[in-house]
């Protein structure tokens, strides 16, 4: 019956786990899709802002060009006139390149140039005025460089053309700027509609999961608890049966006494107290170690070895395993200083009358151990070669993992899980009958959803930045500080003290970046800091990165590294990273005085 209940509980647990995985996957999928759509709209909006700025600048450049032409005639000195001509050429060149970029796009300015039909028509209308202004300015520049006698007459004629065409250019350019602004506003309205739709879809998914997953899961949990109560009753019955078994145990003890007579004649057999003092020594044991007599103050370790270190080791084995038993190899030394190896089993034994003893059963394996040691010596060089190969392989694995992190986030931080849990409980607490409180809950759910999106953005940012591959560790750290300062609102700055700009090995750069990133994230999440400073300095042989924060600090003596990297990239992870690049990591902190993490890496 107990096996059946356990099987039922296990099946229930597996089903609940599958349901929760489906629910969380659905939420994650909806958040990812929302993020992708919103990011696309935001990217388009950023391009629109650039285009509107450049279009507005075109108006200013045309006015500046006209002003500089008008001022040209007032330049009496040849040197002043030369400087004025250079400035006009610069303004003309920027005006012409901006005009072409707005129509055809520009990779350096990240402008695609895919204008609407309305804007294309306006640019076609603008082109004659642009060409006339361009021709007039070029004519003035040409005349100013060639003939000073006829310059003033030709200059005045070109000025008239320039002033007339400038007014037409400004009028059409105003319409173009307004059209760009109108189209950008339309995109913002579309984004607002999209966000509303995504919110409704997310709420619908959460409500469906509550009705079809979480509520049925609660019912199954209740049934599981009921089954556990039934199992408790069965356990009481099993306890009664255990009393019956204890009586059978006494009978087995008597049989064991008979068996011990046989064992001491054929095996290296002994009985000792939990403290290691001899109670009985088998005849074969006595003969092997030439120990015919003993007293109650004789310890088993003294029989096995004459070496004090070996005696201490044997006593530690007995002391640490007197309740659980033990099996393994021990080394002894005979009175003639000959080494002997034994395979020993320590078995807890209760002879009755509330006494406790240990049974020791040994087999001599001296010859086998000698052969084993010989094999180990022969294989040492091959083993060391395999270790070196494994180190190389491990370094390659880490490098490949970093490449994989270019497309997926390393992990979803604990904060997102907590916010999702809060989102679940808030949805469960919505009372549709109380519209006022329901509306308040929905507003809170919007805020939680925004926080979840922000958390996903933060996790996505933890991907390897392109600056690390293209420009090196210092530009990557600079980008890290800028982005984290923007995301968190904290004062995070980078100070390149010695203007370090060299490139390192890609594995070294990746690990320096990841360790620094982990230290900064710890200062943000756990230290309650407001200011974080990353200082980079170097010498001929050493690169040093220091991360200082003004947080609450901690007692380093109580710091325990997490095993296997559980809970994220912790201190253990940072130490593993620094070991791979033969560097050193130092951490200094005290309560209330902030924390300093120092990374030293050979160049």
């Amino acid at each position: 019956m107990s096996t059946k209940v356990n099987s039922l509980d296990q099946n229930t647990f597996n089903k609940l786990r599958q349901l929760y995985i489906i629910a969380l996957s659905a939420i994650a999928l909806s958040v990812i899709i929302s993020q992708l759509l919103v990011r696309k709209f935001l990217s388009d909006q950023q391009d629109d802002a650039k285009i509107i700025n450049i279009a507005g600048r075109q108006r200013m450049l045309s006015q500046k060009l006209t002003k500089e032409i008008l001022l040209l005639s007032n330049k009496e000195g040849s040197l002043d006139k030369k400087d004025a001509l250079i400035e006009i050429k610069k303004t003309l060149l920027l005006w012409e390149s901006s005009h072409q970029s707005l129509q055809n796009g520009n990779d350096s300015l990240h402008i695609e140039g895919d204008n609407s039909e309305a804007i294309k028509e306006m640019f076609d209308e603008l082109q004659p005025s642009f060409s006339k202004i361009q021709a007039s300015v070029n004519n003035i520049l040409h005349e100013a460089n060639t003939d000073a006698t006829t310059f003033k007459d030709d200059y005045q004629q070109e000025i008239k053309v320039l002033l007339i065409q400038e007014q037409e250019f400004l009028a059409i350019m105003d319409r173009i700027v307004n059209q760009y602004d109108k189209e950008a506003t339309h995109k913002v309205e579309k984004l607002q509609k999209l966000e509303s739709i995504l919110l409704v879809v997310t709420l619908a998914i959460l409500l469906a999961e509550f009705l079809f997953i979480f509520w049925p899961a609660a019912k199954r949990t209740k049934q599981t608890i009921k089954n556990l109560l039934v199992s408790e009753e069965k356990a009481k019955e099993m306890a009664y049966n255990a009393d019956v078994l204890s009586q059978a145990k006494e009978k087995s003890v008597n049989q064991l006494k008979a068996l011990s007579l046989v064992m001491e004649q054929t095996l290296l057999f002994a009985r000792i107290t939990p403290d290691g003092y001899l109670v009985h020594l088998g005849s074969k044991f006595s003969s092997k170690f030439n120990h015919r007599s003993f007293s109650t103050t004789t310890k088993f370790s003294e029989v096995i070895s004459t070496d004090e270190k070996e005696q201490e080791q044997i006593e530690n084995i007995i002391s640490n395993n007197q309740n659980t038993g033990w099996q393994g190899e021990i080394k002894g030394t005979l009175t003639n200083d000959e080494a002997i190896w034994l395979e020993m089993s320590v078995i807890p034994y209760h002879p009755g009358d509330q006494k406790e003893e240990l049974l020791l059963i040994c087999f001599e394996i001296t010859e086998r151990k000698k052969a084993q040691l010989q094999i180990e010596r022969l294989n040492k060089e091959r083993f060391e070669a395999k270790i070196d190969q494994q180190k190389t392989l491990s370094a390659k694995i880490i490098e490949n993992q970093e490449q994989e992190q270019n497309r997926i986030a390393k992990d979803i931080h604990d904060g997102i899980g907590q916010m999702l849990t809060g989102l679940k409980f808030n949805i469960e607490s919505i009372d549709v009958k109380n519209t006022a409180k329901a509306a308040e809950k929905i507003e809170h759910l919007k805020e939680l959803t925004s926080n979840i999106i922000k958390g996903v953005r933060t996790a996505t940012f933890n991907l390897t930045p392109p600056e690390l591959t293209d420009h090196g560790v210092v530009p990557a750290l600079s980008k890290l500080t800028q982005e984290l300062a923007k995301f968190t609102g904290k004062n995070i700055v980078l100070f390149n003290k010695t203007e370090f700009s060299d490139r390192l090995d890609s594995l070294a750069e990746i690990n320096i970046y990841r360790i620094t990133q982990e230290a900064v994230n710890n200062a943000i999440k756990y230290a309650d800091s407001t200011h974080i400073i990353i200082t980079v300095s170097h010498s001929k042989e050493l690169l040093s990165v220091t991360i200082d924060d003004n947080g609450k600090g901690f007692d380093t003596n109580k710091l325990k590294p997490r095993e296997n990297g559980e809970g994220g990239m912790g201190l253990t992870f940072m130490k593993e990273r620094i070991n791979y690049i033969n560097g050193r990591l130092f951490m200094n902190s005290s309560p209330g005085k902030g924390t300093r993490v120092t990374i030293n890496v050979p160049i």
Side-chain angles (χ1 to χ4, degrees), residues 356-408:
E356 293 184 359
E357 293 181 1
L358 298 175
L359 294 180
L360 304 179
I361 301 176
C362 303
F363 298 89
E364 185 179 357
I365 57 169
T366 303
E367 296 299 323
R368 187 182 74 187
K369 193 65 179 179
K370 288 180 180 179
Q372 181 182 347
L373 293 174
Q374 180 66 18
I375 293 173
E376 289 176 357
R377 283 193 295 270
L378 294 175
N379 292 336
K380 183 176 181 180
E381 292 184 1
R382 184 171 60 182
F383 177 78
E384 292 176 349
K386 287 183 178 180
I387 290 296
D388 292 336
Q389 183 181 6
Q390 185 64 35
K391 288 182 179 178
T392 303
L393 180 60
S394 298
K396 186 65 178 176
I397 290 173
I398 285 184
E399 186 176 356
N400 290 338
Q401 287 175 340
E402 291 295 338
Q403 292 174 356
E404 182 66 12
Q405 287 175 348
N406 286 328
R407 68 178 183 85
I408 57 173

Side-chain angles (χ1 to χ4, degrees), residues 125-156:
E125 184 181 351
L126 180 69
Q127 187 60 37
S129 297
F130 175 83
S131 299
K132 291 178 180 179
I133 293 173
Q134 185 183 38
S136 294
V137 174
N138 286 326
N139 289 336
I140 291 172
L141 293 174
H142 178 72
E143 292 297 332
N145 288 321
T146 56
D147 189 356
T149 59
T150 61
F151 170 67
K152 288 189 177 180
D153 293 337
D154 293 338
Y155 178 79
Q156 294 301 326

Side-chain angles (χ1 to χ4, degrees), residues 273-292:
T273 65
D275 296 328
Y277 293 98
L278 281 174
V279 175
H280 175 76
L281 192 65
S283 58
K284 191 171 183 180
F285 231 137
S286 300
S287 175
K288 184 69 178 177
F289 289 88
N290 195 22
H291 206 90
R292 300 295 180 181

Side-chain angles (χ1 to χ4, degrees), residues 271-279 296-302 311-312 314-323 346 356-358 360:
R271 288 165 47 205
I272 62 174
T273 65
D275 296 328
Y277 293 98
L278 281 174
V279 175
T296 55
T297 59
T298 302
K299 285 196 170 184
F300 175 75
S301 59
E302 297 173 355
Q311 291 176 0
E312 182 179 357
I314 295 170
E315 289 174 2
N316 288 335
I317 291 173
I318 295 172
S319 176
N320 295 333
N321 301 279
Q322 58 182 279
N323 296 322
V346 180
E356 293 184 359
E357 293 181 1
L358 298 175
L360 304 179

Side-chain angles (χ1 to χ4, degrees), residues 445-480:
L445 289 174
K446 290 180 181 179
E447 182 181 352
L448 281 177
T449 304
S450 298
N451 290 337
I452 292 172
I453 293 174
K454 183 177 180 181
V456 174
R457 287 177 180 173
T458 303
T460 306
F461 174 69
N462 285 330
L463 296 172
T464 302
E467 287 81 5
L468 185 61
T469 304
D470 298 339
H471 307 295
V473 68
V474 173
L477 291 177
S478 178
K479 181 70 173 177
L480 174 69

